[in-house]
């Protein structure tokens, strides 16, 4: 399983959908074929790791308004 620790800082980037205020900060990292997401204000809390199919389904559900 790929590492998703904060020491992998070069892999993490801020989501383009994160707001300009300090309450909405999501970071993502492409780790091999998987995608990880985490709260940039609480990186020590860990991250969620998605396999390619699951990530695609998640993004599609967001784009189509199936998740609120």
């Amino acid at each position: 399983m790929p590492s998703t620790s904060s020491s992998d800082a070069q892999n993490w980037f801020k989501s383009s959908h994160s707001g300009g205020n300090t309450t909405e900060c999501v970071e993502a990292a492409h780790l091999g074929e998987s995608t990880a997401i985490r709260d940039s204000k609480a990186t020590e809390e860990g991250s969620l790791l998605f396999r390619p199919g699951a990530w695609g389904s998640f993004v599609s559900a967001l784009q189509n308004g199936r998740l609120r």
Side-chain angles (χ1 to χ4, degrees), residues 4-7 12 27 38-47:
T4 58
S5 70
S6 58
S7 64
W12 293 97
E27 292 180 326
R38 69 182 181 185
D39 183 339
S40 64
K41 298 177 306 312
T43 59
E44 68 283 353
E45 297 295 325
S47 60

Side-chain angles (χ1 to χ4, degrees), residues 22-51:
T22 59
T23 61
E24 301 173 0
C25 297
V26 175
E27 292 180 326
H30 298 296
L31 305 171
E33 292 186 9
S34 298
T35 300
I37 60 170
R38 69 182 181 185
D39 183 339
S40 64
K41 298 177 306 312
T43 59
E44 68 283 353
E45 297 295 325
S47 60
L48 300 173
L49 187 64
F50 292 87
R51 293 181 183 226

